Amino acid sequence: MTGEEGAAGVAGESTVGSTAGGGRPPARVVVVDDQTVVREGIVMLLGLLPGIEVVGAGADGEEAVRLVAELSPDVVLMDLRMPRCDGAEATRRIRAQYPGTQVVVLTTYADDDSLFPALKAGARGYLTKDAGGDEIVRAVEDVLSGDAGLSPRIQRRLLERLSEPEATAAAEPPDGLTVRETEVLVLIAEGMSNHEIARSLHVSTATVKTHINNLFAKAGLKDRAQAVRYAYRHGLTKPEGSPHT
């Protein structure tokens, strides 16, 4: 989805009823998204919604943490795939350092590799960018009331994951690799260069090099050829042409 499509999806349902809690002051919200068009579209939409006051906006996870420190918002609407510091890491830092601020993820992605790291990092809500204004208001109100602000689609995925027989037995990444280091390893195994990996993950080349250095150290790898064999050996990727389960 492009930035323009994301903005259009968020703004697609901007007419909502008066759902703000009776007498409760507006929720102070910070919006974080690396795409300017999407970020400005979300800010514009939120300005039309009852019970919400936008107090700041940022372009990446580093700015998200800084804005929370400066503004003490009630809620951060957080994108996930951003440069410098992604949304999951920013969520983890915010929840650890500023527990009075809740995080609702607002992203294009609803895959497991995006959803579960964000929830593990401390996000209390998770919406995709096709959410309407009423869903955003409800999610903000839910997390401020101590509930989870999850879209119906995300709730269904969580229930499906819990009902999968192998879900509880799923292996953690080997050798203590983080989710992002594992992503980088898989892309190395797919033959991507550092520049291509950076573009795919929406991070800088320097960040990719840092992840590679870390995963090589943890896994005892000396070069990319060993990394490819390691990824195959641990079932993180499959040789081209092999059947996928």
Side-chain angles (χ1 to χ4, degrees):
M1 177 180 290
T2 64
E4 290 80 358
E5 289 170 339
V10 173
E13 300 178 25
S14 59
T15 302
V16 295
S18 179
T19 58
R24 188 167 67 186
R28 302 174 70 255
V29 173
V30 163
V31 175
V32 182
D33 196 296
D34 65 320
Q35 298 184 60
T36 302
V37 171
V38 175
R39 184 172 65 252
E40 292 179 350
I42 295 171
V43 170
M44 184 178 300
L45 170 62
L46 295 181
L48 303 174
L49 300 180
I52 291 181
E53 175 189 2
V54 178
V55 296
D60 58 45
E62 294 288 349
E63 290 189 14
V65 177
R66 177 180 59 79
L67 287 168
V68 170
E70 292 177 358
L71 302 172
S72 299
D74 299 308
V75 176
V76 177
L77 284 180
M78 182 83 75
D79 191 21
L80 286 182
R81 301 189 184 180
M82 300 181 290
R84 291 207 301 169
C85 174
D86 64 26
E89 173 61 18
T91 297
R92 186 192 65 76
R93 289 164 58 183
I94 288 169
R95 295 297 298 143
Q97 299 174 35
Y98 311 101
T101 296
Q102 300 293 339
V103 176
V104 173
V105 169
L106 185 60
T107 182
T108 303
Y109 307 97
D111 57 282
D112 288 2
D113 289 341
S114 300
L115 170 62
F116 292 102
L119 295 180
K120 288 180 179 179
R124 292 287 298 170
Y126 198 108
L127 302 173
T128 52
K129 287 179 180 175
D130 57 357
D134 54 343
E135 286 187 77
I136 296 175
V137 171
R138 186 160 53 247
V140 169
E141 291 181 343
D142 284 345
V143 299
L144 291 180
S145 299
D147 297 326
L150 304 174
S151 70
R153 177 183 178 188
I154 298 303
Q155 292 181 42
R156 285 195 299 272
R157 180 60 199 127
L158 287 174
L159 290 173
E160 290 168 359
R161 180 66 177 266
L162 290 172
S163 67
E164 292 171 0
E166 299 300 320
T168 56
E172 292 293 323
D175 296 315
L177 300 184
T178 67
V179 171
R180 181 46 62 93
E181 288 164 359
T182 305
E183 286 180 317
V184 171
L185 176 61
V186 169
L187 294 179
I188 289 174
E190 292 178 358
M192 287 192 181
S193 66
N194 288 3
H195 178 72
E196 290 170 330
I197 293 171
R199 187 170 53 192
S200 175
L201 298 180
H202 305 285
V203 298
S204 68
T205 303
T207 297
V208 172
K209 289 179 180 178
T210 298
H211 288 315
I212 290 174
N213 289 338
N214 290 340
L215 75 89
F216 273 31
K218 291 179 180 179
L221 305 174
K222 296 180 180 179
D223 54 37
R224 296 174 90 93
Q226 287 189 354
V228 172
R229 291 195 294 271
Y230 180 89
Y232 290 151
R233 187 167 66 251
H234 287 278
L236 300 175
T237 188
K238 295 179 180 294
E240 189 173 344
S242 67
H244 290 267
T245 57

